[in-house]
């Protein structure tokens, strides 16, 4: 992904998830003695610091009761296995970097699947009801470019508009214990969300583990089109398109996962570079005209393209500037290397 979210947006607003985990741990602890200890009744089972905010949420009480009753019927070993999964499925950073593995819900006894899923689905719904989701989104919106970091192309609307998708980065169908954990919940444009769906970000299709970007701890990457070939692409009604070679630096396993899950290269080529190349060349012509730049030599043209690429490089990610910057940087490199066919093509386009 192209940039990360501030981790404080997740950690500072994560009280509901922390509360749910604390209650579940107390339920497990009450079963660890030879004679199960009586649990406090609702709402006393809610830790005191969260009680006022949750005591009227009786739907939560019902789901916790079902979880406890189901858990009581399992063996001690099974109860331990589930408690371990509650912990492990929430170690998001370690899981994404492959420093830890966790068990998916399919490994648990069948009886506990629905109680866990229902409990955390309800927790996820409560994020909206309790306005946690909006606070989380605002904290992200205020500190990042207003665009989806998974594609860099779709704008994010301000709070108060239709909500952007909030993706369960670790799929809730397999890792439900992370279902209300903001550290695992990621605003994403609807297009990216429609590519990701319930794909398992931790595991490849062949069942092996893979590394993924951590949306809350992600260093910047750079897109390069330098290895594209100016006249080797498809011929469209508006002219010939370069044959695109989309590279990312640094070239890591996280990039491979991102591309596999979100089809990034394919989408850039099909939806951005191919259909927009001609209009971006026309933009360059208009810019030269308004700046009164009329290159009369190869060197002057190379300098004009360099200025234009630099302009977009300094714009960062907004309005697809990172893609335009890469296109003109690639054209600059090829012209600088003396590609006479390309120089002639761009010169002709300016007149
Ligand atoms: Zn997107």
């Amino acid at each position: 992904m192209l940039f990360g979210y501030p981790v404080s947006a997740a950690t500072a607003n994560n009280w509901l998830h922390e509360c749910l985990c604390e209650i579940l741990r107390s339920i497990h602890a009450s079963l660890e003695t030879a004679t199960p200890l009586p649990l406090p009744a609702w709402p006393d089972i809610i830790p005191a610091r969260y009680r006022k905010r949750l005591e009227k949420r009786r739907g939560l009480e019902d789901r916790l009761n079902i979880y406890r009753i189901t858990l009581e019927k399992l063996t001690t070993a099974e109860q331990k296995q589930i408690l371990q999964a509650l912990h492990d499925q929430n170690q998001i950073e370690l899981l994404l970097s492959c420093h830890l593995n966790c068990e998916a819900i399919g490994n648990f006894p069948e009886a506990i699947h629905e109680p866990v899923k229902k409990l955390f689905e309800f927790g996820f719904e409560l994020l909206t009801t309790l306005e946690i989701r909006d606070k989380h989104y605002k904290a992200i919106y205020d500190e990042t470019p207003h665009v989806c970091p998974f594609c860099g192309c779709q704008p994010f609307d301000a709070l108060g508009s239709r909500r952007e998708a909030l993706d369960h980065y670790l799929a809730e169908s397999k890792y439900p214990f992370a279902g209300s954990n903001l550290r695992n919940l990621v605003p994403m444009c609807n297009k990216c969300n429609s590519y990701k769906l319930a794909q398992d970000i931790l595991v490849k299709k062949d069942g092996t583990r893979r590394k993924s970007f951590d949306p809350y701890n992600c260093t910047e990457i750079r897109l390069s089109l330098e290895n594209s070939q100016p006249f080797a692409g498809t011929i469209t009604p508006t002219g010939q398109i370069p044959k695109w070679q989309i590279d990312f630096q640094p070239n890591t396993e996280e990039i491979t996962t991102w591309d596999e899950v979100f089809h990034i290269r394919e989408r850039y080529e099909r939806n951005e570079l191919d259909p927009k190349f001609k209009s971006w060349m026309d933009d360059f012509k208009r810019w030269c005209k308004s700046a009164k730049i009329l290159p009369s030599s190869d060197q002057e043209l190379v300098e004009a393209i360099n200025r234009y690429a630099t302009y977009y490089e300094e714009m960062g990610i907004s309005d697809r500037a990172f893609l335009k910057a890469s296109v003109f940087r690639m054209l600059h490199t090829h012209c600088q290397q003396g590609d006479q066919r390309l120089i002639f093509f761009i010169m002709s386009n300016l007149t």
Side-chain angles (χ1 to χ4, degrees):
M1 59 194 292
L2 296 159
F3 62 89
Y5 291 141
V7 71
S8 58
T11 52
N13 296 297
N14 215 10
W15 66 267
L16 178 67
H17 177 71
E18 287 160 11
C19 173
L20 285 181
C21 290
E22 201 170 321
I23 296 173
L24 292 191
R25 284 194 295 271
S26 71
I27 291 174
H28 279 266
S30 74
L31 299 176
E32 278 169 10
T33 51
T35 316
L37 295 169
L39 270 170
W42 186 268
D44 294 340
I45 192 170
I46 309 169
R49 60 190 182 285
Y50 307 119
R51 200 167 295 151
K52 275 247 163 314
R53 288 179 272 185
L54 287 175
E55 61 189 357
K56 293 201 177 91
R57 308 290 166 186
R58 304 304 290 249
L60 189 57
E61 178 190 9
D62 296 341
R63 287 159 181 82
L64 285 165
N65 277 334
I66 294 168
Y67 180 88
R68 182 179 53 80
I69 292 163
T70 312
L71 193 69
E72 278 173 359
K73 293 176 187 153
L74 302 182
T75 66
T76 306
E78 288 167 339
Q79 290 169 2
K80 276 190 179 166
Q81 181 194 15
I82 290 163
L83 182 62
Q84 188 65 46
L86 167 67
H87 173 270
D88 291 348
Q89 289 187 7
N90 284 295
Q91 304 304 302
I92 311 297
E93 187 171 1
L94 297 176
L95 292 169
L96 294 174
S97 60
C98 283
H99 285 99
L100 180 76
N101 291 321
C102 69
E103 285 196 90
I105 195 163
N107 292 0
F108 308 157
E110 184 85 32
I112 200 73
H113 293 191
E114 280 305 294
V116 175
K117 284 184 181 174
K118 296 281 184 223
L119 176 60
F120 282 90
E121 276 168 16
F122 191 74
F124 182 76
E125 286 167 23
L126 279 181
L127 294 176
T128 306
T129 321
L130 297 169
E131 297 176 5
I132 297 169
R133 180 171 174 173
D134 285 349
K135 273 189 193 164
H136 171 238
Y137 182 73
K138 185 175 185 310
I140 287 173
Y141 189 81
D142 287 348
E143 285 195 42
T144 52
H146 301 156
V147 69
C148 171
F150 292 91
C151 62
C153 293
Q154 299 300 317
F156 273 178
D157 286 341
L159 193 62
S161 313
R162 213 176 124 217
R163 288 190 180 89
E164 304 295 341
L166 184 60
D167 182 67
H168 287 82
Y169 201 54
L170 268 62
E172 58 181 331
S173 54
K174 285 187 155 186
Y175 313 104
F177 282 120
S180 61
N181 185 354
L182 295 183
R183 194 65 182 71
N184 182 46
L185 296 173
V186 190
M188 185 181 287
C189 78
N190 287 320
K191 281 195 178 171
C192 284
N193 199 231
S194 71
Y195 278 94
K196 176 157 178 299
L197 296 172
Q199 287 189 72
D200 191 336
I201 205 88
L202 300 180
V203 181
K204 291 182 207 166
K205 289 199 176 97
D206 67 5
T208 55
R209 281 281 271 126
R210 62 181 171 189
K211 289 183 187 175
S212 284
F213 282 123
D214 181 346
Y216 293 96
N217 183 18
C218 174
T219 51
E220 267 187 36
I221 57 162
R222 218 176 73 77
L223 182 150
S224 166
L225 298 171
E226 293 295 285
N227 295 318
S228 303
Q229 297 168 49
F231 295 99
T234 50
I235 298 170
T236 72
T238 56
Q240 185 150 28
I241 305 295
K243 183 173 175 16
W244 305 108
Q245 164 81 37
I246 303 172
D247 297 316
F248 294 100
Q249 282 115 22
N251 188 17
T252 58
E253 190 182 339
E254 285 85 345
I255 298 272
T256 306
T257 304
W258 175 50
D259 191 35
E260 278 175 7
V261 171
F262 294 97
H263 296 232
I264 290 298
R265 286 186 174 91
E266 176 196 319
R267 288 164 65 195
Y268 281 172
E269 195 168 324
R270 189 187 58 221
N271 303 332
E272 308 293 334
L273 298 170
D274 275 0
K276 288 173 184 156
F277 179 69
K278 173 72 168 66
S279 68
W280 289 352
M281 293 304 291
D282 291 345
D283 288 346
F284 176 60
K285 178 183 177 178
R286 279 189 285 274
W287 176 81
C288 285
K289 201 173 168 189
S290 70
K292 299 195 179 354
I293 294 171
L294 291 167
S296 57
S297 67
D298 293 5
Q299 191 49 44
E300 283 178 19
L301 180 71
V302 166
E303 184 48 37
I305 301 172
N306 182 42
R307 276 182 62 186
Y308 197 65
T310 305
Y311 168 71
Y312 278 110
E313 281 161 357
E314 287 173 358
M315 271 181 71
I317 197 151
S318 60
D319 199 21
R320 295 165 170 79
F322 68 105
L323 283 170
K324 293 179 202 171
S326 303
V327 168
F328 283 91
R329 183 54 63 204
M330 179 272 287
L331 295 175
H332 170 253
T333 302
H334 283 263
C335 288
Q336 199 172 35
Q337 288 167 353
D339 184 334
Q340 287 304 316
R341 187 180 172 194
L342 184 61
I343 290 169
F344 178 76
F345 170 77
I346 300 174
M347 280 286 204
S348 313
N349 195 52
L350 292 181
T351 53

